[in-house]
Amino acid sequence: MKTPFVSREKLAEITDKFPTPFHLYDEEGIRERARALHEAFSWNPGFKEYFAVKATPNPAILKILKEEGCGVDCASYVELLMSQKLGFVGQDIMFSSNNTPAEEFQFARDLGATINLDAYEDVAFLKEAAGIPKIISCRYNPGGVFELGTSIMDNPEEAKFGMTKDQLIQAFKELKELGAEKFGIHAFLASNTVSNDYYPELARQLFELAVEVVAETGVELDFINLSGGVGINYQPEGEENDIAVIGQGVRQAYEAILTPAGLGQVKIYTELGRFMLAPYGLLVTKVTHKKQTYRTYLGVDASAVNLLRPAMYGSYHHITNMDRPMGETEIVDVVGSLCENNDKFAINRPLPVSQIGDTLVIHDTGAHGFSMGYQYNAKLRSSEILLEQDGNVRMIRRAEKPEDYFATLYGFDFEK
Ligand SMILES: *Cc1c(COP(=O)(O)O)cnc(C)c1O
């Protein structure tokens, strides 16, 4: 069962005030999740979560996470700029980027962000572009497939990210030579895992690598960054990750591998996005049309521009009809209005028989939801609304207007 974090009555109040579609976020849930994460890793004094800004790049959300002690993980100039404007400074910022423009390295250095190098070749590039900082991290890619037990979780060999072990060792030697004093190791080997074993297994691999790398290079290892990849269950049935169990699993690996090797000071970092935010966002939309051909279509006022994951990955997002939570069901496709047949939030989905005007919520849109939005068909981005802890509701981003769309066109054969 997926239960929306907002009641039918409360949501009716909200949709009276703010026109659909919009993403609605739950402050209380976000804070609780951040606290659970910090509790799970409280055994590691240097622990820090760098929230992956790309998942939910909204200032109000980032401020909540900042208050909960999180830093930010940025991957672009504008993400860095937004973080700076919000008061994230120096080592509160991780810059985990790839194929990185020189100006972005320069800006990251100006901010004192911790730079996480994606490629061995970036050592020379960074030296040229911005100089080598005192603290530096390198991203590891072990190749092959990443397995947990007998299941293949992901395919690092085919990923464009990270460097080989030999490259990482060589990079550390050169960076040390060039003046770097403290080092970090980073890896992101599987996405959206629903398994309490992902982080512990990743940690084991990185801790063993760390022992070898330190022995070989003599660097001072400051942190190991487990990055993102701890996922959520988008389905209404089945297991969820238990962050307390995950934290203990990482601790066991730490105490078995790092501590005996004299690396018991190493800080653990994470860069979670989806796990932190996905369950605490809902895409709120109304049924605007009902159409019957070879299938039954529920047309809603949101479209793939507001939530790309189903169209792009075929992802499942659970849907609740807030006005008819129960009752007789019918099999429907829930569709937006783009001139694209992949603009479907659900395909052959049993839903309670819905009527025009019903409010639907699409679950788990708090991460990689709004942020993957686009403007195809000249559709405008929606607003974002925050349900605060005390029950107050406020807009944290307005919807785009036609003028926003036209703003980049004025002066180019197009006048106001
Ligand atoms: C996308 C990304 C993350 C966050 O991933 P989630 O799956 O949302 O946890 C963290 N680190 C890096 C470098 C990323 O690219």
Side-chain angles (χ1 to χ4, degrees), residues 48-92:
K48 193 165 180 81
E49 153 72 0
Y50 293 85
F51 176 71
V53 171
K54 73 168 190 263
T56 324
N58 183 292
I61 302 289
L62 296 178
K63 275 187 185 166
I64 292 170
L65 291 167
K66 186 166 189 279
E67 283 172 18
E68 294 296 336
C70 300
V72 281
D73 168 39
C74 299
S76 71
Y77 179 75
V78 177
E79 287 181 0
L80 285 169
L81 196 56
M82 182 187 282
S83 301
Q84 180 198 30
K85 286 174 182 287
L86 290 170
F88 290 95
V89 287
Q91 288 183 54
D92 288 345

Side-chain angles (χ1 to χ4, degrees), residues 243-368:
I243 198 64
V245 173
I246 291 171
Q248 283 308 308
V250 174
R251 179 183 196 165
Q252 278 169 17
Y254 191 103
E255 288 171 355
I257 302 165
L258 283 187
T259 311
L263 294 173
Q265 299 302 311
V266 170
K267 302 168 193 157
I268 299 297
Y269 291 166
T270 56
E271 293 173 342
L272 296 169
R274 191 187 315 269
F275 181 76
M276 302 300 285
L277 249 299
Y280 310 113
L282 297 169
L283 176 54
V284 181
T285 185
K286 286 196 187 243
V287 178
T288 53
H289 293 83
K290 207 165 172 179
K291 170 174 173 173
Q292 185 73 54
T293 53
Y294 311 102
R295 289 187 184 178
T296 302
Y297 294 98
L298 280 189
V300 296
D301 59 10
S303 69
V305 302
N306 307 114
L307 177 67
L308 181 58
R309 299 186 71 258
M312 184 153 164
Y313 310 117
S315 314
Y316 181 93
H317 277 263
H318 198 63
I319 297 177
T320 300
N321 183 328
M322 297 300 282
D323 296 310
R324 289 168 228 281
M326 287 184 298
E328 198 194 331
T329 62
E330 60 184 344
I331 306 287
V332 295
D333 282 14
V334 179
V335 302
S337 56
L338 301 187
C339 307
E340 264 289 353
N341 198 42
N342 67 2
D343 183 17
K344 296 184 176 186
F345 294 116
I347 296 174
N348 284 328
R349 177 88 54 93
L351 275 186
V353 177
S354 303
Q355 303 300 330
I356 290 171
D358 285 359
T359 299
L360 308 187
V361 297
I362 303 177
H363 290 254
D364 300 318
T365 68
H368 312 294

Side-chain angles (χ1 to χ4, degrees), residues 2-64:
K2 289 241 179 225
T3 314
F5 56 75
V6 64
S7 69
R8 180 191 174 184
E9 294 70 32
K10 184 76 190 177
L11 189 59
E13 232 176 80
I14 300 171
T15 54
D16 277 350
K17 199 163 162 203
F18 303 104
T20 55
F22 55 80
H23 287 268
L24 179 70
Y25 301 96
D26 175 27
E27 178 179 6
E28 191 171 21
I30 295 167
R31 288 190 188 275
E32 279 171 7
R33 171 90 8 142
R35 286 170 198 176
L37 175 71
H38 285 114
E39 179 60 33
F41 285 90
S42 57
W43 54 268
N44 184 260
F47 174 80
K48 193 165 180 81
E49 153 72 0
Y50 293 85
F51 176 71
V53 171
K54 73 168 190 263
T56 324
N58 183 292
I61 302 289
L62 296 178
K63 275 187 185 166
I64 292 170

